Amino acid sequence: MRAAYTFDLKHLRGDIYGGLTAGVVAIPLALAFGVASGLGPMAGMYGAIIVGFFAAWLGGTPTNVSGPTGPMVVVLAGLFASLSGDVGLILTAVVLAGVFQIIFGLIKLGDFIRLVPYPVVSGFMSGIGVIIIILQLDATLGHMAPAGTIPALQYLPTALTDINMSALAVAAVTLIVVYGWPTAWGKYLPAALAALAAGTVVSVFLGETPILGEIPSGLPSFHMPSFSQGAMMLVIEAAFILAVLGAIDSLLTSLVADNMTRTRHDSNQELIGQGIGNAVAGLFGGIAGAGATMRTVVNIRSGGHTKISGMIHSVVLVAVVLGLGPIAAYIPHAALAGVLIKVGLDIIDFSYLRNAHRGPRWDLALMALVLGLTVLVDLITAVGAGVVLAALAYVRQVAKAQLDDLLSRPLTATSEEEQDLIETLKDRVTVFEFGGPLSFGAAADVGHHVRERYRDGMHAIILDFCRVPFIDVSAVRAVETIACDAERAGKKIYITGMSDDIADTMVGLGADCCLDLGSARYTDRVELLRTLRDEYAGKLSRRSRAKHPKTTIEN
């Protein structure tokens, strides 16, 4: 926790600009999400302030800007309807969601998010970029877009039939400034902030441009969590869903921040920070929040480097709530739309898309699928489907590699003596050398391929586990099947190089019924081959004496 009280002031100017810009961008989003949740616009503002402050201060991603997000609001709106608008129980769910997230961080569940493959992250990032652009198209034409990507697209033809030319001009000026702002000037005034100012000034002269308008003000009051026996299961279930969605949303945003800043976040600390933010937000009337990709990207693009930027973002929102609302009220929606369109274009992964046709087709298809699901369905579905498909594809590749290694790789003799022994016993003994971990992906086919290599004259089969560090239940059953099939076929199974851990697993699962892990298990393969050579040499000698008995001539 000592790091929570240390601040890096080397990037203070960039952090101030980043926090200011992200705070301005967060205002309409916080208000809109508050309304959509059913708890009102100020609940959205309080959630953005409190979650944004504590998640930045105590979280594990320095540039993350947190606040209400779409997935969280969907759950809250459903809970609002189910509880007939009982504010006390809804805020209790927000507090419990924060507690769950703290527990997730303490038991280190955050580490698993690092396993998300790049095509999934790329598809998610690009999908977020597309969504940002779609949601701003109506605003550039002077209309308020309905909530949601699909409704916004459906409303677009209506907006095109009634274009507000003043709003379109404001958006155009904003885009020109944000793209044309010299890099050198950006050290003193970020392009996004300059563009917002330019768009606001232009709107004053043009008039008839939709602006943010009156913003409510006032400080939050304390809400003690309430518990109702009849509704607690519903509250706990909603709290858990909020916690999981918020964790995924936040950590994916952290991955985006890592990709942009070339840094690495602390997943578990991020969950703890988000959890503390949500728990406090629920106590003071705020809705649940998470790491917000769009606001985080705005922060980074505007110069934010450290947790100070996220905390300043919250201070900006506090200032708005306490009385600076009249100034922010004149910011036109079209100016915000221009800035956000630039943000959306920036985070679409054009660098990958330009070269994707030269890489694996499956990765490109996966990226496109995640992008499509992100835009047309929701983030959680997109990432869930992407991770599952990526995992299945990886398992398939590993299984194929394991089978190819088993079937095609030449047996590696460790010495000249072993090579001679293998040549001597090749008609009576076959060796299966497993390469690497024996996984469930390959387990289904291993037994089939081993049986295919049985020969009528073959007496023994050696299963070499020297290069197998671990084995799962599916593979254990596959080995058991191989051994039992060999026993029924009159073959003798020998084991070499099997570690004690794997042997214990076999015995523990009762898979050693056809295996003699005592006398038929050898540490060294050469030792076993010597034993088999001597055994078969003795059998051949006895057979020869039986066919040609010694005769005695009596005198």
Side-chain angles (χ1 to χ4, degrees), residues 76-132:
L76 285 172
L79 185 62
F80 185 90
S82 300
L83 296 176
S84 302
D86 190 324
V87 175
L89 289 178
I90 295 170
L91 294 178
T92 300
V94 175
V95 174
L96 290 178
V99 173
F100 280 133
Q101 287 182 324
I102 294 172
I103 294 172
F104 292 167
L106 292 175
I107 62 178
K108 301 190 181 302
L109 286 182
D111 293 336
F112 290 97
I113 201 66
R114 292 177 180 167
L115 302 177
V116 178
Y118 181 82
V120 177
V121 177
S122 176
F124 159 71
M125 287 176 60
S126 300
I128 290 292
V130 172
I131 289 174
I132 291 172

Side-chain angles (χ1 to χ4, degrees), residues 118-128 130 349 352-353 356 360-377 382-383 385-386 389:
Y118 181 82
V120 177
V121 177
S122 176
F124 159 71
M125 287 176 60
S126 300
I128 290 292
V130 172
D349 196 357
Y352 174 68
L353 290 173
R361 296 295 177 87
W362 165 251
D363 287 342
L364 175 58
L366 182 62
M367 184 268 192
L369 174 67
V370 173
L371 191 158
L373 290 175
T374 300
V375 174
L376 300 175
V377 185
V383 173
L389 290 174

Side-chain angles (χ1 to χ4, degrees), residues 57-420:
W57 179 26
L58 302 172
T61 311
T63 53
N64 232 3
V65 175
S66 301
T69 62
M72 308 289 274
V73 168
V74 169
V75 178
L76 285 172
L79 185 62
F80 185 90
S82 300
L83 296 176
S84 302
D86 190 324
V87 175
L89 289 178
I90 295 170
L91 294 178
T92 300
V94 175
V95 174
L96 290 178
V99 173
F100 280 133
Q101 287 182 324
I102 294 172
I103 294 172
F104 292 167
L106 292 175
I107 62 178
K108 301 190 181 302
L109 286 182
D111 293 336
F112 290 97
I113 201 66
R114 292 177 180 167
L115 302 177
V116 178
Y118 181 82
V120 177
V121 177
S122 176
F124 159 71
M125 287 176 60
S126 300
I128 290 292
V130 172
I131 289 174
I132 291 172
I133 294 170
I134 291 173
L135 293 179
Q136 304 312 311
L137 290 177
D138 292 318
T140 63
L141 300 174
H143 293 260
M144 295 301 295
T149 308
I150 302 302
L153 284 174
Q154 291 173 336
Y155 185 77
L156 188 58
T158 302
L160 287 171
T161 60
D162 183 23
I163 298 175
N164 184 324
M165 299 307 296
S166 296
L168 187 60
V170 168
V173 168
T174 305
L175 279 169
I176 291 171
V177 173
V178 81
Y179 272 106
W181 194 253
T183 305
W185 296 2
K187 297 178 181 178
Y188 306 98
L189 182 64
L193 204 55
L196 279 179
T200 303
V201 170
V202 170
S203 71
V204 171
F205 289 100
L206 293 179
E208 298 183 2
T209 304
I211 59 177
L212 293 182
E214 183 180 352
I215 298 176
S217 59
L219 291 174
S221 57
F222 182 78
H223 291 260
M224 180 66 69
S226 60
F227 301 93
S228 170
Q229 186 173 356
M232 268 324 287
M233 286 307 299
L234 183 62
V235 170
I236 292 172
E237 179 184 359
F240 186 77
I241 294 173
L242 281 171
V244 173
L245 286 176
I248 295 174
D249 213 354
S250 298
L251 296 183
L252 286 174
T253 299
S254 296
L255 288 176
V256 173
D258 286 353
N259 190 59
M260 295 178 67
T261 61
R262 299 297 187 266
T263 57
R264 188 172 185 180
H265 70 279
D266 184 334
S267 298
N268 298 304
Q269 187 60 44
E270 181 65 22
L271 290 182
I272 293 173
Q274 293 288 338
I276 293 173
N278 279 312
V280 176
L283 292 174
F284 288 92
I287 64 175
T293 305
M294 184 167 63
R295 278 153 276 178
T296 297
V297 171
V298 168
N299 175 41
I300 295 170
R301 293 292 185 192
S302 300
H305 280 82
T306 74
K307 59 186 176 182
I308 295 176
S309 60
M311 297 167 74
I312 290 175
H313 143 272
S314 292
V315 172
V316 170
L317 296 180
V318 170
V320 170
V321 167
L322 291 181
L324 293 183
I327 298 175
Y330 288 101
I331 297 175
H333 287 286
L336 281 175
V339 171
L340 294 177
I341 287 173
K342 169 66 163 56
V343 169
L345 289 170
D346 284 346
I347 65 173
I348 293 176
D349 196 357
F350 288 114
S351 61
Y352 174 68
L353 290 173
R354 280 194 294 267
N355 302 299
H357 63 283
R358 299 190 184 96
R361 296 295 177 87
W362 165 251
D363 287 342
L364 175 58
L366 182 62
M367 184 268 192
L369 174 67
V370 173
L371 191 158
L373 290 175
T374 300
V375 174
L376 300 175
V377 185
D378 61 66
L379 168 65
I380 307 304
T381 301
V383 173
V387 169
V388 169
L389 290 174
L392 290 175
Y394 177 73
V395 169
R396 180 177 177 274
Q397 291 175 338
V398 170
K400 184 176 183 301
Q402 290 175 341
L403 289 171
D404 289 346
D405 185 80
L406 176 67
L407 299 174
S408 61
R409 189 175 62 83
L411 187 62
T412 53
T414 57
S415 65
E416 186 174 338
E417 178 192 6
E418 184 178 9
Q419 185 63 47
D420 291 340

